[in-house]
Structures are given as structure tokens and as C-alpha cells.
Amino acid sequence: MNAQNADLHCHSTVSDGLLPPAALIERAVANGVDLLALTDHDEVGGLDAAIAAAEAAGLPFVTGVEISVSWGDDQTVHIVGLGFDHRHPGLRAGLERVRGGRDARAGRIAEELAKVGIEGAYEGALKYAGNPALISRSHFARYIVERGFAPDVKTVFEHWLAKGKPGYVSHPWAELAEAVDWIHAAGGIAVIAHPGRYRLSAAERRALYAAFKDLGGEGIEVVSGAATAEEIREFAGIAREFGLLASRASDFHGPGESYTDLGRMAMLPSDLTPVWAAW
Ligand code: AMP
Ligand code: MN
Ligand code: MN
Ligand code: MN
């Protein structure tokens, strides 16, 4: 497949995005995206609507998901799956298990927030999420902004929800091997999401890339929404060194809430093999 402006990572209201799948497709077309993947967190429930809307709009589309993974010493990393059969029972069962932990985790987050004076956060976050199995920290962040404790979600993460802050609770997500295996079983390729977002040492970072490569992982987001030019150079080097395909990703969640709009990222360095070369 050929693409100039591929965007292989974004979120809809089926996880913590602000736009329904069909509205995302419309926005992608308006922004000149020529290949899109919808990658909701641990959930493929938006893909049928996205496929239908993309077909109607004539926008090339691939299936996607962003799987939450626990790795190393209580770190969370995200693995994006692309181009799989979203009806695959093994993949669906795995994702359902991962989602199954979110509701209880949300209860614990709300308890911690209540201790620092933010009451009613479970109900408040659920109102934004719609579904207890999909409650994420983003929904808590929106509630905390609504309550007037902070001007925007970024500030909420800095004060309450990032690791080490009062509303952060540790949680067991999928194993790295499980996430890669579910994606492969369903016929897709696995991609390390936003490598610049993990607070890992240089050695831990390399261990993650090596472990992922050993498990048969295929790609890395060389260009992702918040990445700086320096990070893009770094991750291009990682793609070359580890023999990984390069992905390009906005991680768009919604107007006003994301660093980067759909398709509005830097281009991939031209010597890299893009993930879509294989399709
Ligand atoms: P969760 O899966 O519930 O841990 O929520 C993770 C989500 O929170 C990510 O997918 C982002 O949408 C959002 N998020 C994480 N860190 C930040 C941040 N520093 N600023 C804004 N949003 C963030
Ligand atoms: Mn998110
Ligand atoms: Mn992510
Ligand atoms: Mn994402």
C-alpha cells in the first residue's frame, strides 16, 4: 500500500477520544489523511462503524487497537496492533480481560482522589466514559477539569494522575508477550506506541525494544503526536538498528485535547520502511 499522509493511531468515543468513529473519518478526510487506523484502548468496538464510514468516504482504512501492557518494574507501555481480523475470538477475549480490570481500578483511583479532596470522581469519570469497562484516566481528568480544580487535562495529569501523583494507582495490564501474541493470532502486526512517552532509563528502553523484537514485534512509532525532531531522529535510529518497521501516528484524542490533529505530524524519514509497505 502507498500512503503520503498515513495516521495509524487515534481514539474515538469508544475509548477516551472525544469524537465518534464516523466523525473521526470525516475529520481525517478533511485533513488530507490518506490511510487511517482507529486504535481505541483495549477495545475494537468502534471498528465496524469506522470501516463503514471509511468505505463510504473512500478513505483507505486499517483496523487497529492500542493494548495496555505492564512491563518491567510497574511500568505501563502501549502496544498498537494494526491490520488484524477484529472478529478474532482470541484477540477479543484477551482485550476483554484487559478491559475487565478498568472498573475496579477506577474505584481505587476515585478513593485516592477523595483522600485529596476530590469527591465523586468515580461517578464523574463514568459519566464521560459511558461504560465502566472503558473508564480511563482521561475521563477522570475531564471530570477534574469540570470541577474547576485545573484548567486542562494536561495539568490534571501533572498534579493528580501521573505515576507518583496522589490519584495514580498501579494496575496489572496485559503481559507484553500476550499483547503481541493476540495481535499476531488475529493476523496483525504489533507496533510500540509513542516510545518517547515512557519514563524509562536508556538501558530499560533498549531492553524493551529487544524484548519486543524477540517476541516477533514488527514496528515502532518513529513519528508520534508529541515527539520532538530529536526524538524522531532517535527512534528512526532504533528502527534501523532493531530492524523495525516505522509507523506514523497522531494519537489524536479530540479537538483541543491533543498535541497533534489527525495527519498533522512530520513525515517519516525516507530511508525507513513504513509499516504500510507490507499491506
Ligand atoms: P489509562 O489507560 O486509564 O491509564 O489512561 C491513559 C490515557 O491517559 C492515555 O491514553 C492518554 O489519553 C491520557 N494521558 C496519559 N498521560 C497524559 C498526559 N500527561 N497528558 C494528557 N493525557 C494523558
Ligand atoms: Mn488515551
Ligand atoms: Mn498510549
Ligand atoms: Mn493512544
Side-chain angles (χ1 to χ4, degrees):
M1 193 178 276
N2 212 350
Q4 296 299 319
N5 190 14
D7 189 342
L8 300 178
H9 183 155
C10 66
H11 298 273
S12 76
T13 46
V14 171
S15 60
D16 59 350
L18 294 171
L19 302 177
L24 273 175
I25 299 294
E26 200 178 301
R27 192 177 183 97
V29 170
N31 285 6
V33 171
D34 56 10
L35 176 63
L36 186 79
L38 170 63
T39 56
D40 279 311
H41 296 286
D42 310 316
E43 172 60 279
V44 292
L47 291 176
D48 282 327
I51 289 166
E55 243 170 53
L59 174 66
F61 181 85
V62 288
T63 53
V65 68
E66 182 176 16
I67 304 180
S68 313
V69 164
S70 294
W71 190 78
D73 173 26
D74 190 30
Q75 299 284 344
T76 300
V77 304
H78 286 170
I79 301 297
V80 160
L82 296 172
F84 50 82
D85 170 12
H86 63 296
R87 296 194 184 81
H88 188 272
L91 172 72
R92 294 187 84 108
L95 296 178
E96 192 176 346
R97 197 194 86 210
V98 177
R99 290 197 302 274
R102 280 193 177 269
D103 191 23
R105 169 189 184 243
R108 293 192 293 130
I109 292 174
E111 279 170 27
E112 295 302 313
L113 290 172
K115 289 182 195 163
V116 294
I118 301 174
E119 305 283 347
Y122 177 83
E123 295 73 17
L126 180 58
K127 189 183 66 184
Y128 285 100
N131 173 354
L134 297 175
I135 300 187
S136 80
R137 286 182 290 161
S138 305
H139 301 114
F140 280 96
R142 288 174 198 150
Y143 170 70
I144 292 170
V145 171
E146 173 199 316
R147 288 286 310 276
F149 289 106
D152 52 45
V153 301
K154 188 172 173 289
T155 310
V156 176
F157 275 90
E158 281 162 17
H159 290 280
W160 289 283
L161 296 177
K163 192 172 178 188
K165 301 299 171 183
Y168 179 86
V169 304
S170 90
H171 180 76
W173 301 108
E175 299 284 325
L176 183 61
E178 290 176 317
V180 172
D181 287 351
W182 296 334
I183 293 164
H184 285 169
I189 65 170
V191 176
I192 298 175
H194 43 62
R197 293 269 305 271
Y198 310 126
R199 276 192 264 157
L200 300 171
S201 69
E204 289 169 330
R205 215 167 265 291
R206 294 186 68 82
L208 171 65
Y209 305 143
F212 179 73
K213 182 71 185 178
D214 279 351
L215 291 166
E218 286 92 349
I220 185 165
E221 288 181 354
V222 169
V223 170
S224 67
T228 62
E230 192 186 333
E231 286 176 319
I232 292 172
R233 275 194 295 279
E234 176 186 343
F235 302 132
I238 296 300
R240 291 181 198 110
E241 180 184 342
F242 287 82
L244 294 168
L245 301 171
S247 192
R248 184 169 180 268
S250 64
D251 203 3
F252 179 71
H253 282 69
E257 230 182 68
S258 294
Y259 293 98
T260 309
D261 207 330
L262 293 170
R264 298 280 160 83
M265 312 75 85
M267 292 295 163
L268 287 178
S270 58
D271 69 298
L272 300 179
T273 308
V275 291
W276 53 89
W279 297 328

